[in-house]
Amino acid sequence: MKLMLSLLCIVTVLVVGCTTPEVNSFEDCVSEGNPVLESYPRQCNTPDGKHFVETLQKNCSYDNADMKYVSKDPEECKTVNVLCIQGMESFSNACGCGCRIYHESSGKVQAFECTPEQKTNIACTKEYMPVCGFDEKGDSDTYGNACVACTKSEVTSYVKGECKPPKEEQKTFCTPDQRNTGVCTIEYHPVCGWFTDNIQCIKYPCASTASNPCQACQADNIAYWTEGECPE
């Protein structure tokens, strides 16, 4: 009888000791020695098919008036192309993606939205401080100053200085061979890819910057490209 009890105790200890700890989180998965995929965020898989993604500790602030988030999901941001209005540029970070206001210190031309006060001005001074005013279609024209530009019903935004539209000879249209290229080099030769008429843009420019001409023409919605980054 004592022998049977001893054997039963040994079997119980062995069964309990061999029980696999339950894995319910990314941390549990890692602590059990399972392989970790060094992605962002990291991922871990268990032998029985469970999949866990690391929860990142994000210090995000969505109260910045200069940054407008269209998504707070970094994974979703990988699948969307954010188009921003005049005077803003797209961004993507660990907190999400969207559009942010850029400033002259960034080296780009700063654009300004016409304010309600500017749109209702009755009279403007005659000082000549030329600006390039844009309408909703992206068409532009030069005006004597910002006040004059914004009193025009069709003008929604402007940049300082006279308008400098791309010259016709600067346009390089994408060829069928470029569109069928399977792989592009990673050289950085920025160009501005201008969208086809099928794309309806809210603000100028109706275009997107690409790393090089090959990258630009890989997109079916790009008609042609011009040298340098897209005007902002």
Side-chain angles (χ1 to χ4, degrees):
M1 184 66 177
K2 291 182 179 180
L3 179 61
M4 291 180 63
L5 289 174
S6 298
L7 290 174
L8 181 60
C9 290
I10 293 173
V11 171
T12 301
V13 171
L14 289 174
V15 171
V16 173
C18 293
T19 300
T20 303
E22 189 173 0
V23 177
N24 294 315
S25 66
F26 173 83
E27 289 72 19
D28 292 343
C29 183
V30 174
S31 65
E32 289 300 311
N34 294 305
V36 177
L37 176 62
E38 294 299 330
S39 58
Y40 185 83
R42 295 185 299 167
Q43 303 175 56
C44 182
N45 297 315
T46 62
D48 60 352
K50 290 184 179 180
H51 177 73
F52 299 95
V53 178
E54 181 180 22
T55 301
L56 300 177
Q57 297 297 321
K58 299 185 295 184
N59 184 21
C60 299
S61 174
Y62 300 109
D63 299 328
N64 189 338
D66 287 352
M67 302 178 71
K68 307 296 183 183
Y69 283 84
V70 298
S71 175
K72 298 176 183 178
D73 182 355
E75 290 301 313
E76 181 183 28
C77 289
K78 296 177 182 178
T79 64
V80 299
N81 181 24
V82 180
L83 296 179
C84 302
I85 65 172
Q86 183 77 10
M88 304 187 81
E89 61 184 353
S90 61
F91 72 89
S92 180
N93 55 37
C95 298
C97 56
C99 297
R100 64 187 173 194
I101 297 175
Y102 58 74
H103 302 281
E104 291 180 348
S105 59
S106 66
K108 298 181 179 180
V109 178
Q110 186 177 13
F112 302 88
E113 292 290 314
C114 291
T115 65
E117 291 77 14
Q118 288 175 310
K119 297 301 293 182
T120 55
N121 277 337
I122 299 176
C124 296
T125 62
K126 294 183 179 181
E127 61 180 344
Y128 188 68
M129 297 182 64
V131 299
C132 183
F134 298 94
D135 62 20
E136 292 184 351
K137 295 180 180 179
D139 295 330
S140 61
D141 200 359
T142 299
Y143 299 91
N145 54 55
C147 177
V148 173
C150 289
T151 55
K152 304 297 181 181
S153 59
E154 68 274 14
V155 174
T156 58
S157 60
Y158 64 92
V159 296
K160 295 179 180 179
E162 298 180 356
C163 298
K164 298 178 181 179
K167 297 179 181 179
E168 191 66 29
E169 59 267 23
Q170 292 179 324
K171 298 179 182 179
T172 303
F173 286 84
C174 295
T175 66
D177 289 341
Q178 287 176 313
R179 296 199 185 282
N180 295 327
T181 300
V183 179
C184 295
T185 62
I186 58 175
E187 64 174 332
Y188 187 65
H189 173 194
V191 298
C192 181
W194 296 82
F195 295 130
T196 62
D197 293 337
N198 295 329
I199 303 296
Q200 299 297 319
C201 298
I202 299 176
K203 296 292 178 69
Y204 176 88
C206 196
S208 176
T209 298
S211 298
N212 54 56
C214 179
Q215 293 281 359
C217 290
Q218 288 287 295
D220 293 335
N221 57 5
I222 297 297
Y224 63 89
W225 55 268
T226 54
E227 289 286 351
E229 296 184 359
C230 294
E232 301 285 356

